[in-house]
Amino acid sequence: MTDFVQVSTATETREQAVELARSVVRGRLAAGAQIIGPVTSAFWHDGEFGTGEEWQLLLKTQQSRYAELEAHLLKHHPWQKPEIAAVPIVAGSEACLRWLAANTTPTE
């Protein structure tokens, strides 16, 4: 079942997260998106320690669509070097995985 991944990234505002979610789902780069937040993050950035509030996006897609999804996120993300990470979906209900595959298949 490693044909599917969950991809995460984060934005500074809810509106930015919603816009990214809409654009990737409309483009069938992800079957669905969940926006969680605000969340508190602790991190190193440019050699300095920081904390802040972010809005996390969780995106579900096929492994084969990951490169396109990452390219889209990098192009449209408000941050210059956003965190983008993918983890395999190692198990899932058959109906959910069928839905995921059907909604990340290009329509052209």
Side-chain angles (χ1 to χ4, degrees), residues 9 20 66-84:
T9 191
L20 276 178
Y66 174 79
E68 292 173 89
L69 174 59
E70 179 184 305
H72 180 91
L73 290 172
L74 289 171
K75 181 177 181 181
H76 298 282
H77 203 288
W79 294 342
Q80 287 185 347
K81 295 185 268 180
E83 174 186 334
I84 302 170

Side-chain angles (χ1 to χ4, degrees), residues 87-102:
V87 295
I89 297 174
V90 297
S93 71
E94 186 178 327
C96 177
L97 297 179
R98 275 196 316 268
W99 164 83
L100 203 161

